[in-house]
Amino acid sequence: MDLQLKGKTALVTGASMGIGRAIAKGLAAEGVKLCIAARRKSLLEALANEIAAAGGSRPAVVEIDIMPEGAPSRLTRAALDALGHIDILVNSAGGSKPAISIDAPDSAWEEAMTLNFVRLRQLTHAVLPGMIEKKWGRVINISGKSEPERLIAATPAKAALHAWAKGLSREVGKHGITVNCIPPGRIMSEQIRNKYSEKFRAKQSAEEIPVGRYGEPEELAALAVFLASPVACYITGAVLPVDGGLRRYAF
């Protein structure tokens, strides 16, 4: 299938490792010109070199921490300087810390909401005017489960993300822009390896994941690249898990 992505441009956050890295590589393989952003410049440069060595256009690299006030605006300006315009935005930066107690300080809740929703929303809103002007755009959010298994500060942020994305999709659909969310299941990454032991991963794979294993970043990236394409023009406002069947409840 020709995804009709050659010549498009994309800004990918959280691109230094894991899911964001795999999505960047997948888009580059389809001929997309990239700006990749994350906190670790050395990893971004390595990715840029890898893409260039494979015959793709070398991505622009932006070393940035998305958490400080004003970071989304700075990143948007840097990406526009590098690309000229942004057709595709992949919001892959984010994270989830372990469960917290009911007496956790407000700062823990605010940090999770800022990282997983507020900054993502601000970056998207900064990029949208250019998409509206061109009458075409794709916003893809790498989100997470919004049905809680325990008290985790990131969970309400993911629920807010899903609700915001649905509302936004209804607002911008008339401009040829789609907005979708992909909640990962257990996708192998640095974060997963640090969080879960090999013994736990094997036990969960056998007992809870219907396909019997953790996923690979490239398996989620395949969906993201498709959603970024003109071919996926009638898919918007959707929450599409890539989790091997792990999800138990409806969103």
Side-chain angles (χ1 to χ4, degrees):
M1 178 185 293
D2 179 8
L3 293 181
Q4 303 169 29
L5 277 167
K6 190 172 183 180
K8 297 292 188 185
T9 62
L11 168 59
V12 182
T13 68
S16 59
M17 296 196 74
I19 291 170
R21 187 180 195 277
I23 293 173
K25 289 182 66 177
L27 289 170
E30 295 293 328
V32 176
K33 185 179 179 182
L34 297 172
C35 177
I36 52 177
R39 292 176 297 174
R40 291 179 283 187
K41 187 175 182 180
S42 61
L43 296 178
L44 292 174
E45 292 287 357
L47 173 59
N49 291 338
E50 184 177 340
I51 288 172
S57 176
R58 193 180 194 280
V61 168
V62 179
E63 179 185 13
I64 192 168
D65 181 349
I66 202 66
M67 284 294 283
E69 192 71 33
S73 295
R74 291 193 295 274
L75 177 54
T76 300
R77 288 194 298 270
L80 289 173
D81 286 345
L83 301 174
H85 67 277
I86 299 168
D87 294 314
I88 301 158
L89 172 62
V90 179
N91 289 308
S92 188
S96 177
K97 293 185 177 180
I100 62 174
S101 63
I102 59 173
D103 59 353
D106 283 350
S107 59
W109 295 96
E110 291 166 0
E111 179 185 14
M113 184 62 74
T114 299
L115 175 60
N116 293 290
F117 175 61
V118 175
R119 293 293 183 262
L120 182 154
R121 176 187 60 76
Q122 292 171 336
L123 178 60
T124 303
H125 287 202
V127 168
L128 277 172
M131 293 182 177
I132 292 171
E133 182 179 353
K134 289 179 65 66
K135 295 293 184 182
W136 199 93
R138 297 288 184 266
V139 178
I140 300 163
N141 306 303
I142 307 305
S143 57
K145 292 193 301 181
S146 57
E147 72 274 16
E149 297 174 352
R150 55 193 184 280
L151 195 60
I152 299 176
T155 304
K158 304 299 187 181
L161 171 56
H162 291 163
W164 161 80
K166 179 62 177 180
L168 181 63
S169 73
R170 297 180 67 85
E171 183 75 17
V172 301
K174 62 189 175 186
H175 300 295
I177 301 167
T178 66
V179 185
N180 292 291
C181 296
I182 305 177
R186 298 292 188 241
I187 304 295
M188 291 303 296
S189 65
E190 179 186 44
Q191 197 173 89
I192 286 290
R193 289 184 178 91
N194 290 339
K195 192 173 182 181
Y196 303 110
S197 68
E198 186 174 348
K199 182 178 179 181
F200 175 87
R201 297 199 302 267
K203 185 175 187 295
Q204 186 178 43
S205 295
E207 296 178 359
E208 299 183 39
I209 303 176
V211 302
R213 62 176 178 83
Y214 277 36
E216 296 297 329
E218 292 76 15
E219 293 171 314
L220 187 148
L223 174 59
V225 172
F226 174 71
L227 291 175
S229 75
V231 178
C233 61
Y234 205 62
I235 303 172
T236 193
V239 177
L240 302 167
V242 177
D243 62 5
L246 174 64
R247 182 174 61 100
R248 295 185 179 89
Y249 308 111
F251 285 90

